Amino acid sequence: MLRPQLSRGGVSLARMAAASTRASASAARVCNGFQKTERKMCIETSKRNFVNPLRQASTFSNVTSNSQVFVSAAEPDDKAAMLKIHWGDSKTDLYPFIWLRDNCQCPQCFESSSRSRKLLLQDLPRDVHPIAVEVPKDGRSVSLSWSDGHSSVFSSSWLHRRAFNSSSRNQRLGDIKLKKILWDAAKMKDLPQANFSDLLANDKALLRFLQEVEELGLCIVKEAPTKSGQLERLTKRIGHLKRTHYGLTFTVKVKANANNLAYTEKSLNLHVDQPHLEDKPGVQLLHCISQYEGHGGDNLLVDSFCVAEKLREVHPEKFKLLTDTLVDFYDIGVEDGIKFHAINQEPTINLDKSGEIKTVSFNNMVRDSHFGCQAEQTWAWYDAMMNYHDLLSDPQFAITYKMSAGDIIVFDNNRVLHGRKGFQMTGGERHLEGGYWDWDEVRSRRRVLMAESDLN
Ligand code: OGA
Ligand code: ZN
Ligand code: ZN
């Protein structure tokens, strides 16, 4: 592994070194894949109102009208310690007494300016129950007098949005994270795109862009000025760039006597960036300031979740090995005089409690030689990884896109793997500027924009 010692004008040599160690036999296989496919995406820069058909297929709806919600009756069930609410549409929901008392919205229990609970757990009686329940004629609220002498009023719409049922829970889950729309090469024939100036000026365009990045994991921003500093301008519309030990942004350029792969004209194997961080960057941005004009320099992009689902279907035992086996990733170096030594352990395919894929950590270049796998299991793990890698590189799943100057590729670094086709140093300078966002910031901005668009 190369150890970066220099930094030039904010350029992250350390980061490049991480990429440099990725020179591998498998990179050649990716290159072959490129040559075989040669399906360069042609994007018209003038398509400002592009709506990706994949997104239109999304079933997610952020709008719930609560204006018609009213309570027709409410009665306590003391045995179950729950309040039964009868809605105007004859449906019913049960609300635990302890939850209702805990969530009293009065100024004594809840600070509205900071939206924080003031009521302390030690002041919440375990056996709390209502001694009187009242529903006014208009059915817009429910009033409760409690056994501890307190009283609460809840609005019907507030209660309805928090109902203990699956539809309310699903609505909430849809707000927390948009449902992912998985794609293969055929489905991603037209790449989703947005226009740089529109994103700076128009909230609707920005919302649609953030939705695409969350659902499809990918969007190409067109017509950004071809000079450094544009990632900062776009980021001002979202939140903050995520700083890593390589700085706020990094530069990808070929340089003479480069000591790392990304600083050369060589191909880069499919990878996620910085899997050696436990809190790895959620979203990656690569701004093309100038592109290599000859043959090569294209990026390879693949939806690793879609491919993992294929692996789960055809080789469930290999899929399981990749979800169960922890892989070590590491990165050691110096940036701006500060030494770093990052280590993270993650399975290649990381599942959530319900078995859905949460993240994929695939980077053959910074995968450590330290490996906690049982010796007897190790061959089978390699076999599974090779199967996964073969599928990831397959033209059925992977697409190539050659950025034009002014493009910014924005993609989900937990999901969309990226690579680069090699090129010769005879076709002009290739210059990219990269940066990262955290998913928390991106989703937060998307929720704010969604709420505002609901109001308008
Ligand atoms: C990297 C990288 C892509 C490119 O530096 O990690 O993925 O197109 N670069 O140069
Ligand atoms: Zn209260
Ligand atoms: Zn990369």
Side-chain angles (χ1 to χ4, degrees):
M1 164 136 208
L2 295 170
R3 304 286 175 254
Q5 301 299 330
L6 298 166
S7 175
R8 189 188 62 197
V11 174
S12 163
L13 300 188
R15 188 173 170 284
M16 296 308 122
S20 75
T21 53
R22 304 165 201 169
S24 62
S26 51
R29 289 165 70 189
V30 171
C31 259
N32 288 340
F34 271 106
Q35 274 147 23
K36 257 186 263 158
T37 56
E38 285 302 320
R39 293 168 300 101
K40 193 162 46 154
M41 297 287 154
C42 296
I43 302 292
E44 282 172 50
T45 51
S46 58
K47 274 204 250 169
R48 281 171 187 249
N49 294 319
F50 176 89
V51 177
N52 191 294
L54 288 172
R55 265 217 76 236
Q56 287 178 313
S58 168
T59 51
F60 176 74
S61 155
N62 63 313
V63 183
T64 319
S65 169
N66 283 308
S67 55
Q68 299 308 313
V69 171
F70 65 93
V71 174
S72 63
E75 83 240 359
D77 176 343
D78 284 317
K79 261 202 186 140
M82 298 212 231
L83 183 74
K84 187 171 195 172
I85 301 260
H86 298 259
W87 299 106
D89 61 4
S90 333
K91 290 190 180 131
T92 58
D93 279 306
L94 292 167
Y95 294 82
F97 292 158
I98 196 163
W99 175 86
L100 284 164
R101 178 66 190 87
D102 179 42
N103 287 290
C104 177
Q105 297 290 292
C106 85
Q108 200 184 321
C109 302
F110 191 78
E111 186 65 66
S112 60
S113 61
S114 61
R115 295 169 193 259
S116 303
R117 180 180 292 105
K118 290 202 287 190
L119 182 66
L120 301 171
L121 273 177
Q122 61 264 39
D123 297 332
L124 178 65
R126 283 182 163 83
D127 62 351
V128 74
H129 56 277
I131 48 173
V133 179
E134 256 179 66
V135 177
K137 265 205 180 119
D138 66 6
R140 297 280 181 217
S141 61
V142 177
S143 302
L144 296 155
S145 301
W146 294 104
S147 52
D148 65 355
H150 195 69
S151 38
S152 311
V153 180
F154 297 100
S155 87
S156 303
S157 57
W158 187 96
L159 286 169
H160 194 260
R161 281 197 299 273
R162 289 159 181 77
F164 286 74
N165 64 38
S166 55
S167 95
S168 161
R169 189 67 205 146
N170 285 340
Q171 183 98 37
R172 176 76 176 153
L173 289 178
D175 189 33
I176 296 171
K177 287 182 183 173
L178 300 187
K179 202 168 158 42
K180 292 190 170 61
I181 302 167
L182 304 192
W183 49 267
D184 57 15
K187 288 195 187 121
M188 198 38 93
K189 267 206 298 287
D190 297 312
L191 273 89
Q193 58 177 278
N195 176 274
F196 186 79
S197 315
D198 286 352
L199 295 183
L200 295 197
N202 182 327
D203 281 356
K204 275 201 179 112
L206 187 65
L207 174 57
R208 190 158 71 206
F209 160 73
L210 295 179
Q211 287 169 326
E212 310 258 58
V213 175
E214 199 170 341
E215 291 175 336
L216 298 167
L218 176 66
C219 190
I220 315 282
V221 179
K222 304 292 293 181
E223 295 180 47
T226 50
K227 55 182 183 196
S228 144
Q230 305 316 308
L231 298 185
E232 283 88 345
R233 289 179 74 201
L234 182 58
T235 302
K236 276 204 181 127
R237 295 278 289 148
I238 314 283
H240 303 90
L241 283 160
K242 180 189 172 71
R243 185 187 289 278
T244 69
H245 46 247
Y246 299 114
L248 267 188
T249 57
F250 51 88
T251 300
V252 184
K253 257 186 188 179
V254 174
K255 66 170 195 154
N257 306 316
N259 63 355
N260 63 77
L261 199 67
Y263 245 15
T264 71
E265 59 272 82
K266 298 228 167 60
S267 62
L268 295 178
N269 193 14
L270 284 166
H271 63 282
V272 301
D273 270 21
Q274 308 217 41
H276 41 261
L277 299 178
E278 191 172 344
D279 182 21
K280 78 170 150 40
V283 177
Q284 182 165 2
L285 302 103
L286 285 172
H287 175 207
C288 180
I289 293 171
S290 61
Q291 180 59 285
Y292 171 72
E293 278 162 21
H295 184 72
D298 318 44
N299 286 107
L300 181 73
L301 297 155
V302 64
D303 183 353
S304 68
F305 284 22
C306 180
V307 178
E309 290 302 349
K310 184 74 184 170
L311 188 71
R312 172 155 37 194
E313 185 193 317
V314 292
H315 295 298
E317 69 302 335
K318 296 188 187 195
F319 177 86
K320 186 159 171 19
L321 258 185
L322 296 186
T323 62
D324 288 350
T325 310
L326 283 181
V327 178
D328 290 34
F329 297 98
Y330 80 124
D331 195 15
I332 299 175
V334 184
E335 177 76 14
D336 283 340
I338 299 170
K339 289 183 182 172
F340 57 84
H341 186 162
I343 300 181
N344 183 37
Q345 295 185 312
E346 295 234 349
T348 305
I349 302 169
N350 201 358
L351 301 182
D352 68 13
K353 281 186 187 152
S354 61
E356 297 269 311
I357 303 167
K358 215 160 91 180
T359 61
V360 163
S361 286
F362 191 104
N363 187 324
N364 211 43
M365 300 161 273
V366 291
R367 180 163 54 75
D368 208 332
S369 46
H370 289 275
F371 194 22
C373 189
Q374 297 283 330
E376 295 76 14
Q377 287 271 310
T378 302
W379 187 90
W381 178 84
Y382 274 96
D383 178 51
M385 274 293 271
M386 286 169 186
N387 261 110
Y388 189 33
H389 178 256
D390 285 347
L391 281 174
L392 286 165
S393 321
D394 192 305
Q396 186 196 337
F397 293 106
I399 59 168
T400 60
Y401 175 71
K402 185 163 180 176
M403 281 196 274
S404 309
D407 283 0
I408 305 175
I409 312 188
V410 183
F411 56 93
D412 184 344
N413 188 51
N414 289 322
R415 169 182 168 195
V416 174
L417 305 187
H418 62 291
R420 182 185 75 196
K421 189 175 176 182
F423 53 99
Q424 303 287 311
M425 262 310 284
T426 47
E429 189 184 48
R430 186 173 184 274
H431 177 191
L432 308 186
E433 188 161 67
Y436 304 116
W437 292 331
D438 269 331
W439 267 116
D440 281 332
E441 293 229 356
V442 174
R443 291 201 172 97
S444 160
R445 185 75 177 120
R446 187 259 301 158
R447 287 181 206 118
V448 168
L449 290 168
M450 271 179 152
E452 285 172 1
S453 81
D454 283 355
L455 291 177
N456 296 329

